């Protein structure tokens, strides 16, 4: 394998044979990768300094490998640190183009394992024919995060239909007194809340495209995030469901996240909240009632109420629900 392309051109009646051979390389590579069959895996690649692989994923960031030595080093480490298993990917080759001794493919794959951090991948793969055999010379992979690894998060598409719901999230949702699943869509039991929820999902769905998100962030000064505030049926505080957009999906987050904490910090700066007022706000955001907040902070309920009233004045709100929505709408 000297990296020199064959100069012979494929005849028209050889195209189908070439396409089958190219597809065979792609599926041999992925099966060998998951079974940790190094010899079969390495046989699918061109061993040349021209080999290039690019992996971009939400969780792991960007990884660029230039040349066979660099590429194989990373894969060897992966093989040595993991155990063989059946492929959990469903790969669909959407387009194949062959010109002489060069072939390029566009693939889309979906992972079916709850243990994998990646959900879908979008791949562009280039192969060259060397000494009669097709070899991978370039592979670019863009991978989205798997919604299956997100506890108490629900993914819906642009039309509002649920497309991501793991077992734990489903159990949590079915036990939730304020929500229900109706005809494959998430609905709120209270009609007023449901109208707000459906409007927010529709607004988020209009931002699923990359350029739509860029335009929104440029105009608003922040990425899309919308809080739905629910009064608890037991009267003890409230609950927040945060809507965000990511990987062309809308996520409904029922749990407190790092993003929520960051928004509290930003709100404290914007509204000039004191340390004591910020502690009250943190309790409010966490869904605690004022008596519980006072008990947690070791202060009297009247002192907690005084702090809360001052927060209301600074934020221009008068209820906990309005306060939570205001505080979480920044950042």
């Amino acid at each position: 394998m000297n990296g020199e392309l064959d100069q012979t051109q494929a005849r028209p009646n050889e195209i189908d044979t070439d396409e089958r051979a190219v597809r065979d390389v792609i599926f041999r590579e992925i099966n060998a990768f998951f079974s940790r069959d190094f010899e079969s895996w390495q046989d699918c690649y061109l061993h040349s300094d021209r080999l290039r692989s690019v992996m971009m994923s939400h969780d792991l960031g960007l990884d660029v490998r230039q040349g066979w030595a660099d590429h194989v080093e990373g894969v060897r480490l992966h093989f040595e640190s993991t155990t063989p298993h059946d492929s959990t990917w469903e790969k669909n080759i959407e387009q194949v183009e062959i010109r002489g001794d060069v072939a390029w493919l566009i693939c889309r794959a979906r992972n079916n394992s709850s243990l994998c951090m990646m959900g879908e991948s979008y791949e562009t793969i280039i192969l060259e024919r060397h000494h009669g055999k097709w070899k991978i010379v370039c592979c670019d992979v863009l991978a989205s995060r798997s919604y299956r690894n997100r506890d108490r998060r629900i993914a819906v598409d642009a039309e509002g239909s649920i497309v991501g719901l793991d077992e734990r999230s489903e159990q949590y949702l079915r036990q939730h007194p304020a929500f229900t699943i109706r005809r494959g869509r998430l609905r709120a039991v209270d009609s007023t809340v449901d109208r707000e929820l459906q409007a927010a999902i529709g607004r988020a769905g209009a931002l699923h495209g990359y350029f739509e998100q860029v335009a929104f962030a440029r105009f608003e000064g922040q990425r899309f995030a919308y809080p739905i505030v629910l009064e608890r049926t037991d009267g003890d505080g409230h609950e927040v469901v945060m809507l965000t957009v990511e990987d062309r999906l809308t996520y409904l987050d029922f749990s407190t996240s790092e993003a929520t904490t960051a928004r509290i910090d930003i709100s404290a700066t914007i509204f000039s909240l004191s340390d004591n007022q910020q502690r009250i706000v943190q309790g409010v955001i966490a869904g605690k009632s004022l008596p519980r907040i006072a008990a947690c902070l070791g202060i009297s309920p009247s002192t907690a109420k005084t702090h809360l009233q001052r927060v209301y004045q600074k934020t221009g709100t008068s209820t906990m629900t309005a306060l939570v929505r205001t505080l979480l709408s920044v950042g």
Side-chain angles (χ1 to χ4, degrees), residues 58 145 150 153 208 213 223 244-251:
H58 189 288
R145 181 190 294 177
R150 305 180 182 195
R153 297 190 80 185
H208 278 194
Q213 290 189 59
R223 294 184 62 181
T244 57
V245 174
E246 188 177 310
D247 296 333
R248 302 185 72 86
L249 292 172
T250 298
Y251 284 94

Side-chain angles (χ1 to χ4, degrees), residues 115-282:
L115 301 178
C116 184
M117 288 185 290
M118 295 187 296
E120 284 188 315
S121 72
Y122 302 83
E123 307 173 15
T124 301
I125 304 172
I126 300 175
L127 299 90
E128 294 175 353
R129 178 163 40 199
H130 292 264
H131 307 299
K133 294 184 178 181
W134 290 99
K135 303 290 182 179
I136 298 172
V137 296
C138 182
C139 183
D140 293 346
V141 180
L142 297 176
S144 65
R145 181 190 294 177
S146 174
Y147 57 73
R148 297 176 180 87
N149 292 323
R150 305 180 182 195
D151 189 27
R152 291 170 61 179
R153 297 190 80 185
I154 298 169
V156 301
D157 62 17
E159 286 70 43
S161 298
I162 296 175
V163 296
L165 185 66
D166 63 19
E167 185 176 349
R168 288 181 300 179
S169 297
E170 182 177 8
Q171 291 176 352
Y172 174 80
L173 182 60
R174 292 193 182 281
Q175 295 171 359
H176 201 291
F179 290 100
T180 185
I181 298 176
R182 192 183 310 154
R183 296 180 180 177
R185 298 172 64 94
L186 180 67
R187 306 300 297 263
V189 175
D190 182 88
S191 59
T192 301
V193 176
D194 190 58
R195 284 193 294 271
E196 180 184 6
L197 174 64
Q198 300 309 316
I201 290 176
R203 186 182 180 195
L207 299 174
H208 278 194
Y210 171 80
F211 291 106
E212 288 80 0
Q213 290 189 59
V214 169
F216 178 89
R218 184 171 297 169
F219 182 78
E220 298 289 341
Q222 63 187 40
R223 294 184 62 181
F224 175 82
Y226 186 87
I228 302 290
V229 184
L230 306 169
E231 297 290 345
R232 288 184 175 167
T233 55
D234 58 9
D236 187 15
H238 58 269
E239 183 176 9
V240 177
V241 180
M242 182 69 77
L243 276 72
T244 57
V245 174
E246 188 177 310
D247 296 333
R248 302 185 72 86
L249 292 172
T250 298
Y251 284 94
L252 294 93
D253 192 345
F254 289 80
S255 60
T256 303
S257 64
E258 293 181 3
T260 301
T261 302
R263 288 173 185 273
I264 295 175
D265 293 339
I266 295 172
S267 294
T269 300
I270 292 175
F271 296 109
S272 301
L273 303 182
S274 67
D275 291 343
N276 287 332
Q277 291 166 0
Q278 187 169 352
R279 293 188 186 98
I280 295 294
V281 163
Q282 289 170 340

Side-chain angles (χ1 to χ4, degrees), residues 8-108:
T8 56
Q9 298 294 314
R11 293 185 296 274
N13 61 353
E14 294 176 339
I15 295 298
D16 290 342
T17 301
D18 284 339
E19 182 170 331
R20 285 195 296 271
V22 166
R23 289 174 176 268
D24 178 66
V25 172
I26 300 304
F27 289 108
R28 279 196 296 115
E29 189 275 342
I30 192 171
N31 289 327
F33 181 86
F34 280 100
S35 64
R36 305 299 185 258
D37 183 349
F38 180 79
E39 292 303 318
S40 296
W41 173 84
Q42 63 90 27
D43 188 53
C44 298
Y45 286 86
L46 180 68
H47 297 196
S48 166
D49 290 340
R50 293 193 297 107
L51 176 67
R52 184 182 181 92
S53 65
V54 178
M55 165 67 78
M56 182 68 186
S57 73
H58 189 288
D59 293 280
L60 303 179
L62 176 65
D63 181 72
V64 180
R65 303 275 174 166
Q66 182 65 51
W68 169 249
D70 190 24
H71 183 64
V72 75
E73 179 183 3
V75 174
R76 278 189 186 277
L77 176 63
H78 182 71
F79 278 19
E80 292 170 359
S81 61
T82 57
T83 57
H85 56 85
D86 292 335
S87 172
T88 57
W89 286 92
E90 292 180 1
K91 178 170 285 192
N92 179 36
I93 299 176
E94 298 181 337
Q95 183 177 344
V96 180
E97 295 290 340
I98 300 175
R99 296 290 185 272
D101 293 317
V102 178
W104 59 96
L105 298 84
I106 297 175
C107 306
R108 184 174 181 177

